[in-house]
Amino acid sequence: MLFPGQGAQSVGMLDDLASDHAAIGQTLDEASQILDYDVAALISEGPASIVDQTVYTQPLMLAADVAIYRAWLAAGGQKPSFVAGHSLGEYAALVAAGALSFVEALSVTTRRAQAMTDAVADVEVAMAAVIGLDDASVESVCNSAAEASGEIVSPANYNAPGQVVVAGQAGAVEKASEQAREAGARMVRPIAVSVPSHCALMRPAVASLEAALDATELATPDITVLHNVDAASRSERADIQRALVEQLWQPVRWVDCVERMRDAGANMFYECGPGRVLAGLNKRIDKTLDTVSLGDASAFDRAVRETG
């Protein structure tokens, strides 16, 4: 079970499922009580300008991912053998695995989002997707651009072979983008963000996230959770907390996560959240992988019938 993160959000992202699955409305009502704003209305009606703000996007995506997972279980869907979440989605994966309560996950992700926003309040930042270069080439252009500019830029998401997202200060990202094109990148696409996730610019947010996690109960997962930082699983509280803190400023190694599950015998993958971003990445990682996006009502119903 794969849980998408920030970037998969859209206004109306649960509309296709909400009317048929009471668990979704119940989960959004619970989130509204905790967050003190109408989560269901914001997800359904927007505006997008609010939904796309990091301080709202992260708790909204967490709520959406967990809502779909609860609907899946309520409908008779099979409990997964492995879970992983892309970036913010890792918190939903921990909720699904029983390691983190939904209530505390909402609190932590809200604080995380604010700390990330505050960390770059006075910095011009950027992210860009580099398509068509191998990992080593992207790492090389980032190192070169950082040295030439004196600014921060580094790989943030190893999303698929030939698809790496870089993040950092705007000038350095622009320089890295130019060098990537010169090195033969098929495409370099800027990503509209206010927060450059998974790079050293997020280190000032570490203390706030550590404090939030210190006040949070973390239990041993009852499903294997593969963490972004190294595609490894953890059972001890201190190790889980350390992985979540490191994830804030280190790259998401998504290819490794998916390949680790595949190599351990996973033969069906379910994208448990809005959109189809992770299904698309799976096709790039390994064309033989079967991935179902549960945010689509017909796909959801078919998958429940096949696995229930």
Side-chain angles (χ1 to χ4, degrees):
M1 197 74 78
L2 310 177
F3 295 87
Q6 192 166 353
Q9 77 278 359
S10 63
V11 174
M13 59 186 169
L14 294 178
D15 288 355
D16 200 31
L17 289 171
S19 60
D20 294 328
H21 298 279
I24 290 179
Q26 292 164 0
T27 301
L28 300 188
D29 287 346
E30 184 180 350
S32 297
Q33 293 173 13
I34 297 159
L35 298 172
D36 201 27
Y37 55 81
D38 192 333
V39 170
L42 194 52
I43 285 176
S44 183
E45 303 167 14
S49 59
I50 301 296
V51 173
D52 290 340
Q53 289 180 25
T54 293
V55 292
Y56 288 99
T57 306
Q58 293 195 19
L60 291 179
M61 277 300 301
L62 173 72
D65 286 359
V66 172
I68 293 176
Y69 184 67
R70 287 177 171 180
W72 167 261
L73 294 180
Q78 184 177 338
K79 190 174 180 179
S81 301
F82 301 92
V83 292
H86 190 285
S87 188
L88 181 279
E90 188 159 287
Y91 289 82
L94 288 165
V95 173
L100 181 61
S101 75
F102 181 48
V103 170
E104 292 196 297
L106 285 169
S107 176
V108 170
T109 55
T110 299
R111 188 162 174 181
R112 176 183 186 267
Q114 188 61 62
M116 292 170 71
T117 301
D118 293 344
V120 291
D122 300 317
V123 183
E124 188 177 357
V125 301
M127 296 182 78
V130 180
I131 311 297
L133 289 184
D134 61 34
D135 293 352
S137 296
V138 176
E139 291 162 2
S140 178
V141 301
C142 284
N143 291 337
S144 176
E147 184 176 351
S149 65
E151 295 183 337
I152 291 170
V153 60
S154 61
N157 302 329
Y158 292 93
N159 280 337
Q163 182 175 330
V164 180
V165 173
V166 302
Q169 289 165 273
V173 171
E174 183 177 355
K175 185 70 173 174
S177 298
E178 293 171 0
Q179 293 187 7
R181 293 186 185 97
E182 292 169 0
R186 192 165 66 250
M187 179 189 305
V188 180
R189 177 169 46 85
I191 301 172
V193 295
S194 58
V195 171
S197 303
H198 310 295
C199 74
L201 290 175
M202 292 293 99
R203 295 198 75 158
V206 163
S208 181
L209 179 58
E210 283 180 332
L213 290 168
D214 282 342
T216 299
E217 184 176 345
L218 290 168
T220 300
D222 58 24
I223 301 171
T224 299
V225 181
L226 298 184
H227 291 269
N228 287 178
V229 292
D230 55 7
S233 61
R234 290 160 172 81
S235 59
E236 299 297 325
R237 174 198 168 86
D239 296 332
I240 295 170
Q241 179 168 340
R242 190 176 305 114
L244 291 174
V245 171
E246 290 178 357
Q247 187 233 52
L248 192 64
W249 59 275
Q250 293 192 16
V252 172
R253 299 190 177 276
W254 191 247
V255 176
D256 293 346
C257 288
V258 172
E259 290 183 341
R260 184 72 60 88
M261 287 183 275
R262 177 202 64 192
D263 294 347
N267 54 20
M268 280 297 301
F269 290 78
Y270 296 90
E271 182 171 10
C272 190
R276 303 172 183 272
V277 172
L278 301 183
L281 295 182
N282 270 12
K283 280 299 180 187
R284 291 176 176 269
I285 292 168
D286 184 338
K287 287 182 169 53
T288 69
L289 298 181
D290 290 320
T291 309
V292 177
S293 296
L294 299 179
D296 176 84
S298 60
F300 182 103
D301 293 341
R302 184 168 59 253
V304 168
R305 289 195 300 271
E306 291 172 351
T307 66

